[in-house]
Amino acid sequence: MRRVTVLGATGSIGLSTLDVIRRHPGRFGVYALTANASVEEMASLCREFLPEYAVMVEAGAAVELADRLSDLPQISVLQGEAGLCEVAASEAVDTVMAAIVGAAGLPPTLAAVRAGKRVLLANKEALVMSGQLFMDAVAASDAELLPIDSEHNAIFQCLPADRVRDPRGAGVTRILLTASGGPFRNHSADALKTVSPAQACAHPNWSMGQKISVDSATLMNKGLELIEACWLFNTDPSRIEIHVHPESIIHSMVEYADGSVLAQMGSPDMRTPIANGLAWPERIEAGVAPLDLFAIGRFHFERPDLDRFPCLRLAAEAFQAGGTAPAVLNAANEEAVAAFLAGTLGFTDIPVIIERTLAATEVVAGDSFEIIFAKDAEARRYAREQIRLHTV
Ligand code: NAD
Ligand code: MG
């Protein structure tokens, strides 16, 4: 029986993870569930999965949850970042699903890595922010890092299992990273200026949390994924080619020196990569609808348009700049997306805020997590100020 901690249990990935776990009661047990503030949802998940620990980040929410679960004294309720790190690193855990959204996920994900867990990485922001340090921490522990992002899980499945960090040695010539193109793939530059948060969150193929939905609409998601792929598969952007594939059936591909191109396909449902990570190297049922290629009929591919979607270019530039630049990119993006969702920033102003923040924040070598967190804070202060100036 594998004992699992689900960080971000009430989110889109967290709930999909619990749905796979629910289908295999003898194989997986839930050790801990965590959420930011949603007490109601956590209470009902705790009643179903009976974890040993439930963690709420907000103090008031933890008190309320403990009160609601007072008839279940076997569940201990913890609070704050310390609680997240404790349940991520506990000796009693085998597998940690890292499914918190944004930079807030880095401390507990890192705690799981340092404790040598099987870490299922959905929280791409954690890796993007701290790239080299994060991968060094994986190498220094016995942690088993398995990608859950559908594209990276597809690439992982198309690589020889023992050459994930050395694809060139395995004869890989290119990684073909697919992208849906998001809900505004065919919008003109002018039409993009007036799109609403509700339109941005209505993704054509995937149902996801709000932040990643907006990232998919700006193509920042693909930018973050380009950086994520470089770190996971020890490669550089010149060997990764982004293919917009609106059907979202091919989740990514790997090209080999002999001309072979291996693709991983499936219905666009995150339970496939989640089940792959939970059970790897075995395969388990995930509740995913079988692929009906006759119904799909055709696949299309096009190049991404960096003029209409400058976030992708900004991400590639930040990776090339190195050091703390990706942490700054990520922090400015999180602030800009939050402002867009709150209705205080226009969609096409998101890349403007990020570009200004990158230009104003000095790049230093990201030699320690303290430096990364300090740059994250500096970039957020600057981005918030720019957002304020932009909206008055
Ligand atoms: P979501 O918004 O649906 O859920 C986020 C979860 O994190 C919730 O449980 C929430 O309570 C928790 N959370 C939010 N802020 C927090 C904070 N400050 N501290 C601690 N916990 C906090 O997000 P999601 O769509 O499930 O995405 C989660 C992560 O997975 C993101 O990094 C996203 O990029 C990645 N991802 C998601 C999908 C998808 O299909 N949803 C696909 C690939 C990758
Ligand atoms: Mg993805």
Side-chain angles (χ1 to χ4, degrees):
M1 173 94 109
R2 289 194 84 95
R3 309 246 293 154
V4 184
T5 283
V6 183
L7 302 171
T10 55
S12 165
I13 293 288
L15 293 173
S16 291
T17 303
L18 290 170
D19 187 67
V20 176
I21 288 175
R22 183 186 283 129
R23 291 163 191 275
H24 302 277
R27 191 184 265 265
F28 305 110
V30 176
Y31 175 73
L33 297 174
T34 88
N36 191 33
S38 28
V39 174
E40 184 95 36
E41 280 172 283
M42 263 297 257
S44 74
L45 291 176
C46 285
R47 285 189 187 281
E48 179 182 354
F49 290 96
L50 299 172
E52 283 176 42
Y53 290 92
V55 185
M56 300 302 297
V57 175
E58 285 189 8
V63 172
E64 210 185 315
L65 183 69
D67 189 46
R68 291 221 194 176
L69 298 177
S70 57
D71 60 320
L72 293 172
Q74 70 270 36
I75 304 179
S76 307
V77 178
L78 306 179
Q79 172 209 313
E81 191 180 295
L84 297 178
C85 292
E86 187 177 329
V87 299
S90 163
E91 287 235 321
V93 180
D94 309 294
T95 299
V96 175
M97 167 53 82
I100 290 172
V101 59
L106 177 55
T109 305
L110 186 63
V113 165
R114 285 178 169 156
K117 304 305 178 192
R118 171 176 289 198
V119 177
L120 308 183
L121 186 71
N123 179 206
K124 65 193 88 181
E125 297 92 342
L127 177 58
V128 166
M129 288 171 73
S130 65
Q132 187 68 57
L133 289 172
F134 190 98
M135 295 311 290
D136 287 350
V138 172
S141 71
D142 299 330
E144 190 179 24
L145 184 67
L146 299 178
I148 297 304
D149 213 344
S150 57
E151 297 78 1
H152 305 74
N153 184 266
I155 295 161
F156 174 79
Q157 292 194 46
C158 294
L159 288 171
D162 58 345
R163 290 296 185 87
V164 170
R165 309 262 188 275
D166 177 28
R168 283 182 80 174
V172 171
T173 44
R174 280 192 307 164
I175 287 172
L176 312 185
L177 184 69
T178 55
S180 69
F184 308 137
R185 185 170 57 89
N186 292 321
H187 274 47
S188 68
D190 240 18
L192 285 177
K193 288 182 188 152
T194 54
V195 299
S196 69
Q199 287 173 298
C201 290
H203 196 279
N205 304 335
W206 299 93
S207 155
M208 309 182 285
Q210 286 195 318
K211 192 261 179 183
I212 185 175
S213 295
V214 177
D215 284 350
S216 299
T218 60
L219 291 202
M220 178 55 91
N221 185 49
K222 214 45 58 180
L224 298 176
E225 291 185 359
L226 177 73
I227 299 174
E228 182 184 14
C230 288
W231 289 117
L232 286 173
F233 309 117
N234 190 23
T235 190
D236 63 89
S238 67
R239 291 183 173 269
I240 300 178
E241 190 153 9
I242 295 167
H243 286 56
V244 174
H245 163 50
E247 290 82 12
S248 295
I249 298 299
I250 298 180
H251 299 307
S252 277
M253 296 170 263
V254 173
E255 179 194 76
Y256 287 86
D258 62 4
S260 297
V261 176
L262 303 194
Q264 186 264 351
M265 300 194 283
S267 299
D269 187 322
M270 289 305 294
R271 289 175 300 179
T272 294
I274 290 166
N276 179 262
L278 280 170
W280 192 83
E282 290 173 38
R283 299 275 182 176
I284 56 171
E285 198 273 328
V288 176
L291 193 55
D292 182 353
L293 287 173
F294 297 116
I296 296 155
R298 283 164 200 264
F299 286 168
H300 295 85
F301 302 97
E302 52 193 64
R303 291 179 198 280
D305 180 346
L306 301 189
D307 294 329
R308 281 183 304 140
F309 301 104
C311 285
L312 182 51
R313 172 179 58 78
L314 292 172
E317 288 171 5
F319 183 75
Q320 290 301 354
T324 51
V328 170
L329 170 95
N330 178 67
N333 181 56
E334 286 190 29
E335 294 297 327
V337 170
F340 170 67
L341 286 168
T344 56
L345 189 73
F347 183 78
T348 48
D349 293 330
I350 294 172
V352 174
I353 298 297
I354 299 167
E355 188 150 29
R356 284 191 195 167
T357 307
L358 279 165
T361 314
E362 192 198 352
V363 178
V364 298
D367 292 339
S368 71
F369 285 99
E370 289 68 32
I371 294 173
I372 298 289
F373 287 121
K375 274 289 166 186
D376 172 272
E378 182 189 338
R380 281 173 201 275
R381 281 194 299 275
Y382 188 86
R384 279 189 206 132
E385 180 61 15
Q386 289 299 312
I387 290 164
R388 201 181 58 75
L389 294 174
H390 225 75
T391 48
V392 288

